[in-house]
Amino acid sequence: MVSDVIDNEQIEILLNDVLEVHGYDFLEYSHASIKRRITRLYALDSFVSFAEFRYTVRTDKQYFKRFLEEITVNVTEMFRDPSFYRALRNEVLPVLGTYPFIRIWVAGCSTGEEAYSLAIVLKELNLLSKSLIYATDINPSVLDKAKKGMFPLTYLKQYSENYFLAGGTKEFSSYYTANYSLAKFDESLNSKMIFSTHNLVSDHSFNEFQLILCRNVLIYFDKDLQHKVFNLFDSSIEKLGYIALGSKESLEFWPKAKQYKRIKLEKIWRKL
Amino acid sequence: MAQTVISTKCSALVIGGSAGSLDVLLEIFPNLNENLKFPIIIVVHRKASNESLLTDLLKHRTPLKVSEADEKVLLKNGQVYIAPADYHLLVEEDRSLSLDYSEKINYSRPSIDVTFQSAAEVFKEGLVCVLLSGSNADGVEGLKAVNKFGGTAVIQDPTTAMMPYMPQQADLNVKPLLVMHSFEMAEYINKLNN
Ligand SMILES: C[S@@+](CC[C@H](N)C(=O)[O-])C[C@H]1O[C@@H](n2cnc3c(N)ncnc32)[C@H](O)[C@@H]1O
């Protein structure tokens, strides 16, 4: 892949178009990675000039859908970072279990693997019936997949290993039925999920939660935008509630971080 | 024999490797000078489960400060940054690092190509990239980008590599290129300091 077919200035122009025409603001995303996504798409779809690419992104609604899908990175997996889920299972959810009702926000849920993993842990702790998981993402097509709760069978071996390492106690296969190449997860799991588009850059707080998970989303944002999103979470989290981030993300440099206490080795913070 | 005369100052060094590259790194690092005036970034393919192993191994074998790369940190001269397992590592225009969890490239995350390419654009002629032993072709496209932006592409002499395929592919596809024995590398890197 040639890395400079589109230069920095053109990236800027394109992102301004996207904001102006489609209302999505990617201007504060980490530059190097968004540039790589855009250059990759340009090569993948064999555009011959930047002008043509720009025109298509501006005017072709169908193509813009594809643009959005490819620009946002949707890679995810079930029980990713097993030790994280072990900490949720052993330290966080039992505390929330003492509440009459548990509201959880999975922000940037992608195709839903994270929300289903969480629902499984809640179920095993007998907490699922009094929980509600709000799973949101900027990208409507991943939410469509998430609602279905069907994941490629080829990944399930890895997922069940993760599940076991995360402290899972059952047969992982008891949570899904395999048909052809897909594993369909039990409907009791997504009966407690609400899927909705939500853009962390431009949309407001919509509820109060006891736990917010936002993992592997903030790495794509520049520092200022990260801090804006932390403020959004701060206004969406109850006192003594928890915020969980991806394994390489941190609240550390955010001015209000002092009002949060980190849980041992994991990227989980409790609001004081 | 490697040519060690360089015209421009090195502003960053990136080393990429896969199978068979750990031994080379362990050979290079004890011999590096403490006061290198550029940052060093290392991208090595490995299993996510071996997360901190590489960092720990290097830490104890070099006078330089070694840490796993955190996102948004600004690169400091004389420090060694290791791409975390399972993330791509990119360099931003302001010399900060960013991480990316997008699809694997050449079956690899981190991918050497990704880091070489993004560093090439930022450091241009100040960049030196070294590709070590490995059994796939990751890094080859990256070295092309390095040349294109005026940086220096270096490979481990394939005849000295445990897995020659990776440097061999670079040798076939990338020009110009410095070819070096592993035992020459530490000295070469120390000299980049001038
Ligand atoms: C790498 S995935 C992470 C999925 C999951 N949280 C995990 O850790 O496995 C990043 C997700 O963030 C979403 N995203 C990117 N920008 C967003 C924004 N501004 N608001 C909400 N979601 C966003 C993407 O669409 C994508 O699904």
Side-chain angles (χ1 to χ4, degrees):
Chain A
M1 196 200 333
V2 195
S3 48
D4 69 337
V5 283
I6 304 183
D7 63 29
N8 292 342
E9 211 173 302
Q10 290 168 327
I11 297 281
E12 192 91 345
I13 292 173
L14 193 71
L15 294 182
N16 275 304
D17 282 356
V18 167
L19 176 58
E20 182 194 305
V21 181
H22 303 283
Y24 288 94
D25 185 354
F26 291 108
L27 288 163
E28 291 178 279
Y29 278 51
S30 301
H31 190 85
S33 73
I34 195 124
K35 180 175 181 185
R36 196 172 83 81
R37 304 298 299 167
I38 292 174
T39 321
R40 175 182 162 278
L41 184 62
Y42 179 89
L44 217 60
D45 292 348
S46 315
F47 282 98
V48 291
S49 70
F50 174 71
E52 186 201 356
F53 185 44
R54 183 182 175 194
Y55 180 78
T56 311
V57 170
R58 280 187 73 106
T59 56
D60 184 338
K61 279 226 165 63
Q62 209 50 40
Y63 189 77
F64 180 71
K65 209 174 145 234
R66 170 168 170 78
F67 179 88
L68 189 63
E69 276 166 37
E70 293 296 324
I71 280 339
T72 57
V73 176
N74 302 124
V75 182
T76 182
E77 78 188 48
M78 287 187 89
F79 293 98
R80 174 165 193 220
D81 306 319
S83 66
F84 168 79
Y85 283 94
R86 223 169 27 233
L88 277 189
R89 176 189 287 269
N90 297 330
E91 294 173 54
V92 174
L93 295 175
V95 177
L96 297 182
T98 62
Y99 294 31
F101 196 74
I102 310 171
R103 268 192 312 274
I104 301 173
W105 179 14
V106 183
C109 68
S110 190
T111 38
E113 284 81 339
E114 203 176 18
Y116 284 85
S117 310
L118 188 59
I120 288 172
V121 180
L122 285 166
K123 194 174 173 126
E124 293 184 3
L125 297 174
N126 282 324
L127 297 174
L128 188 59
S129 57
K130 62 168 178 174
S131 304
L132 210 45
I133 299 171
Y134 293 75
T136 66
D137 202 280
I138 188 180
N139 178 349
S141 23
V142 292
L143 289 172
D144 287 340
K145 289 192 188 148
K147 276 175 214 161
K148 296 197 178 101
M150 296 200 271
F151 306 120
L153 214 45
T154 44
Y155 299 154
L156 268 285
K157 188 171 167 287
Q158 175 70 47
Y159 292 176
S160 82
E161 266 169 42
N162 287 357
Y163 164 77
F164 177 71
L165 290 171
T169 49
K170 302 255 163 60
E171 283 290 331
F172 192 56
S173 57
S174 66
Y175 291 109
Y176 62 85
T177 43
N179 45 31
Y180 302 104
S181 58
L182 292 171
K184 166 126 185 64
F185 277 75
D186 208 286
E187 281 181 5
S188 64
L189 299 173
N190 61 9
S191 66
K192 304 303 261 173
M193 297 178 194
I194 295 171
F195 296 96
S196 163
T197 54
H198 182 278
N199 185 341
L200 290 165
V201 180
S202 51
D203 293 340
H204 296 285
S205 170
F206 58 96
N207 214 328
E208 279 234 308
F209 300 93
Q210 283 88 37
L211 168 63
I212 298 177
L213 276 78
C214 183
R215 302 172 69 226
N216 302 302
V217 181
L218 294 163
I219 45 172
Y220 299 100
F221 297 179
D222 73 16
K223 226 177 191 139
D224 290 341
L225 182 53
Q226 288 185 347
H227 291 182
K228 271 190 231 165
V229 176
F230 289 146
N231 287 331
L232 168 69
F233 290 157
D234 188 51
S235 62
S236 312
I237 195 105
E238 273 181 10
K239 203 174 169 221
L240 299 177
Y242 298 85
I243 293 183
L245 304 179
S247 64
K248 297 302 290 178
E249 295 159 339
S250 178
L251 280 189
E252 203 180 334
F253 299 106
W254 173 51
K256 281 195 206 154
K258 285 175 266 344
Q259 297 162 27
Y260 285 77
K261 187 176 179 293
R262 184 161 163 205
I263 298 209
K264 269 185 241 153
L265 299 170
E266 297 304 323
K267 293 296 179 71
I268 305 175
W269 284 262
R270 186 167 204 198
K271 188 175 186 171
L272 301 174
Chain B
M1 182 59 204
Q3 154 207 347
T4 41
V5 202
I6 31 152
S7 47
T8 32
K9 223 175 126 238
C10 172
S11 42
L13 169 70
V14 187
I15 305 176
S18 188
S21 66
L22 183 60
D23 289 346
V24 185
L25 290 172
L26 295 180
E27 185 180 339
I28 297 174
F29 273 79
N31 298 316
L32 292 182
N33 289 343
E34 193 170 350
N35 58 347
L36 294 179
K37 298 190 189 84
F38 48 84
I40 301 178
I41 299 170
I42 297 180
V43 185
V44 173
H45 298 156
R46 61 197 193 282
K47 278 252 162 65
S49 48
N50 290 339
E51 187 67 81
S52 58
L53 188 70
L54 180 63
T55 313
D56 290 342
L57 276 176
L58 287 185
K59 227 179 226 166
H60 297 108
R61 284 177 173 76
T62 170
L64 297 161
K65 224 177 141 189
V66 181
S67 60
E68 192 160 282
D70 275 319
E71 60 123 24
K72 303 293 181 293
V73 296
L74 283 174
L75 290 169
K76 282 202 198 119
N77 294 341
Q79 293 206 15
V80 183
Y81 302 84
I82 299 182
D86 220 19
Y87 289 88
H88 296 305
L89 178 69
L90 297 108
V91 182
E92 300 284 339
E93 212 56 58
D94 66 356
R95 298 174 124 244
S96 69
L97 295 173
S98 59
L99 299 175
D100 174 321
Y101 185 56
S102 54
E103 59 282 304
K104 295 181 177 177
I105 308 278
N106 301 309
Y107 308 99
S108 314
R109 194 170 49 219
S111 145
I112 301 167
D113 277 341
V114 169
T115 308
F116 279 6
Q117 281 166 342
S118 81
E121 292 183 41
V122 172
F123 294 107
K124 306 203 168 66
E125 61 284 350
L127 180 69
V128 178
C129 283
V130 181
L131 190 63
L132 303 176
S133 168
S135 48
N136 63 35
D138 196 19
V140 175
E141 290 303 311
L143 286 185
K144 285 186 194 163
V146 172
N147 273 341
K148 191 160 162 214
F149 285 92
T152 308
V154 182
I155 59 165
Q156 178 181 1
D157 183 339
T159 61
T160 71
M162 195 192 287
M163 296 290 175
Y165 187 79
M166 203 153 88
Q168 238 161 25
Q169 285 303 304
D171 201 17
L172 289 173
N173 295 296
V174 183
K175 301 268 165 336
L177 196 68
L178 297 181
V179 182
M180 240 175 255
H181 278 270
S182 54
F183 58 76
E184 295 174 287
M185 282 183 188
E187 196 195 337
Y188 171 76
I189 294 168
N190 288 330
K191 279 195 182 145
L192 291 173
N193 224 9
N194 297 318

